[in-house]
Amino acid sequence: MTDLLQDDDQASLTAEFMAGSERALAEMYERWARLVYGMALRSLGDVTEAEDVTQKVYVSAWLGRHTFDPTRARLAAWLVGIAKNTIADAHARSARDRRKREAIIATLDDDVIDWSEDVADRLVIADELALLAEAPRKVMHLAFYDNLTHAQVAARLDMPLGTVKSHIRRSLDRLRTRLEVNDDEQ
């Protein structure tokens, strides 16, 4: 009898969720968020990443609720599937970021870069450059690693000269601020 009530409750929750009931989404979160969070935390080992994955899972579920097929899986199993994919995406993003940082570090050349010889500073710089958006990162690479002038960078990227200069100024300000923070911590 208890299983029958649980099945009726599950069917009701499923129907409400698929109909777009925010209350049903809240109930799903109440029931299974700890499960999703626990999976993410065990796999990623980081509280912030696990919280981010949990949020993404529920946003994905809500936005993709029209794709849920209750004849193929229960809501909890469907959420676990979304969680597995979202965790895999987080691992892939982390690996991609690590490869970018390593590539930047590998391109550091003492003859081209007249920055601190301190390895820690070089790593901070590489990390900060890796965190830049794609356009500023390309601008900084061309200007400082390929030793191009601002005008050459603008021509190479088909970008207005003022935009190139702005990217460089903002990126250098960000690096300076980050390096000053690191100097203060030592």
Side-chain angles (χ1 to χ4, degrees), residues 114-160:
D114 190 18
W115 291 336
S116 171
E117 292 296 317
D118 186 335
V119 174
D121 284 348
R122 292 176 71 183
L123 290 174
V124 168
I125 291 166
D127 281 345
E128 288 302 314
L129 289 175
L131 294 174
L132 293 174
E134 183 179 356
R137 187 174 53 250
K138 284 181 181 177
V139 168
M140 293 295 287
H141 184 40
L142 291 172
F144 292 99
Y145 296 140
D146 294 351
N147 216 15
L148 299 181
T149 66
H150 294 172
Q152 290 170 326
V153 172
R156 171 97 42 105
L157 296 177
D158 193 27
M159 192 179 283

Side-chain angles (χ1 to χ4, degrees), residues 1-165:
M1 183 70 172
T2 305
D3 289 340
L4 184 58
L5 288 176
Q6 288 176 345
D7 286 344
D8 288 344
D9 183 44
Q10 182 79 226
S12 174
L13 179 62
T14 300
E16 287 180 38
F17 172 69
M18 292 178 68
S21 166
E22 290 179 16
R23 188 205 64 74
L25 179 65
E27 187 173 329
M28 289 170 54
Y29 187 86
E30 179 78 25
R31 287 184 184 191
W32 298 304
R34 286 189 302 261
L35 170 68
V36 170
Y37 174 80
M39 289 173 57
L41 184 59
R42 279 188 301 280
S43 182
L44 299 168
D46 181 80
V47 170
T48 304
E49 284 286 322
E51 290 170 349
D52 188 44
V53 164
T54 303
Q55 180 180 358
K56 286 179 181 179
V57 166
Y58 279 89
V59 168
S60 293
W62 181 251
L63 295 176
R65 66 186 178 277
H66 64 281
T67 65
F68 176 65
D69 182 357
T71 63
R72 293 186 58 189
R74 291 178 163 243
L75 278 174
W78 185 62
L79 285 172
V80 166
I82 294 171
K84 286 180 179 180
N85 290 333
T86 307
I87 291 166
D89 291 345
H91 280 296
R93 185 175 50 256
S94 177
R96 205 171 32 250
D97 290 347
R98 186 175 48 256
R99 284 191 305 272
K100 284 181 186 177
R101 279 193 303 277
E102 289 170 356
I104 289 171
I105 290 169
T107 63
L108 294 176
D109 181 7
D110 292 335
D111 296 334
V112 175
I113 300 172
D114 190 18
W115 291 336
S116 171
E117 292 296 317
D118 186 335
V119 174
D121 284 348
R122 292 176 71 183
L123 290 174
V124 168
I125 291 166
D127 281 345
E128 288 302 314
L129 289 175
L131 294 174
L132 293 174
E134 183 179 356
R137 187 174 53 250
K138 284 181 181 177
V139 168
M140 293 295 287
H141 184 40
L142 291 172
F144 292 99
Y145 296 140
D146 294 351
N147 216 15
L148 299 181
T149 66
H150 294 172
Q152 290 170 326
V153 172
R156 171 97 42 105
L157 296 177
D158 193 27
M159 192 179 283
L161 181 59
T163 302
V164 167
K165 289 180 178 182

